[in-house]
């Protein structure tokens, strides 16, 4: 009986430790960076998502908003792309790479591919919010 209780306690502690070290893997992430006065507007990315959904008849695109990453409002828009075919994923990433360099009004935007984010590496004030666009 004692061994069973010890085994159950060990399994519960192990499960908690595994869940605490959750790693999120994203095929593409748009990083919004600040130069001095905030970050660029996300409207070009949102317009791209909206147009892409209409063009390919996709109902929803899931994106995680991860932030704040810094002191001036830096954040990530991390796309899962599970609702797209491989060809659509390639086109979507290409379009993101075209618009990111144009987003320079207050800071800059960069596209990062195949990014893994470990939740334990984020600061305590950084949150992950899932948006359904």
């Amino acid at each position: 009986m004692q061994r069973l209780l010890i085994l159950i306690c060990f399994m519960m502690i192990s499960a908690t430790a595994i869940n605490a070290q959750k790693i999120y893997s994203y095929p593409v992430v748009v990083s919004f960076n600040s130069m001095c006065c905030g970050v660029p507007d996300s409207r070009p990315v949102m317009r791209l998502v909206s147009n892409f959904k209409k063009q390919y008849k996709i109902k929803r695109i899931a994106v995680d908003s991860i932030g704040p990453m810094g002191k001036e409002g830096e954040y990530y828009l991390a796309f899962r792309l599970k609702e797209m075919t491989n060809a659509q994923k390639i086109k979507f990433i290409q379009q993101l790479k075209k618009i990111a360099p144009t987003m320079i009004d207050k800071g800059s935007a960069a596209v990062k591919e195949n990014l893994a984010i470990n939740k334990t590496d984020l600061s305590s004030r950084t949150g992950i919010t899932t948006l359904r666009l």
Side-chain angles (χ1 to χ4, degrees):
M1 185 67 171
Q2 277 184 327
R3 290 183 183 175
L4 181 61
L5 287 174
I6 292 172
L7 180 64
I8 290 172
C9 288
F10 178 76
M11 288 176 28
M12 289 175 54
I13 291 170
S14 297
T16 304
I18 290 169
N19 286 337
Q21 295 182 5
K22 189 144 186 159
I23 295 175
Y24 299 95
S25 209
Y26 299 101
V28 66
V29 173
V30 180
S31 167
F32 291 85
N33 308 304
S34 173
M35 293 297 185
C36 73
C37 313
V39 295
D41 191 4
S42 65
R43 271 186 259 166
V45 174
M46 296 305 167
R47 238 186 335 263
L48 168 67
V49 170
S50 178
N51 292 338
F52 199 85
K53 282 174 33 183
K54 287 178 189 173
Q55 181 179 358
Y56 292 100
K57 296 178 174 82
I58 298 171
K59 290 185 181 183
R60 287 193 179 128
I61 294 179
V63 60
D64 287 346
S65 177
I66 305 170
M69 299 302 285
K71 295 179 181 177
E72 295 182 11
E74 295 91 343
Y75 68 99
Y76 293 163
L77 284 181
F79 293 89
R80 298 179 195 166
L81 306 183
K82 291 181 181 179
E83 52 279 301
M84 296 181 192
T85 66
N86 285 337
Q88 290 172 340
K89 289 177 187 180
I90 291 168
K91 288 179 184 175
F92 184 75
I93 293 170
Q94 287 173 344
Q95 290 180 14
L96 280 175
K97 287 181 177 180
K98 285 181 185 174
I99 65 164
T102 66
M103 300 168 59
I104 54 172
D105 53 339
K106 289 185 180 178
S108 65
V111 175
K112 301 174 184 181
E113 290 187 69
N114 300 317
L115 187 66
I117 297 174
N118 189 339
K119 192 172 182 180
T120 58
D121 292 342
L122 300 175
S123 74
S124 61
R125 65 187 195 106
T126 301
I128 300 175
T129 306
T130 300
L131 309 170
R132 307 261 185 233
L133 305 177

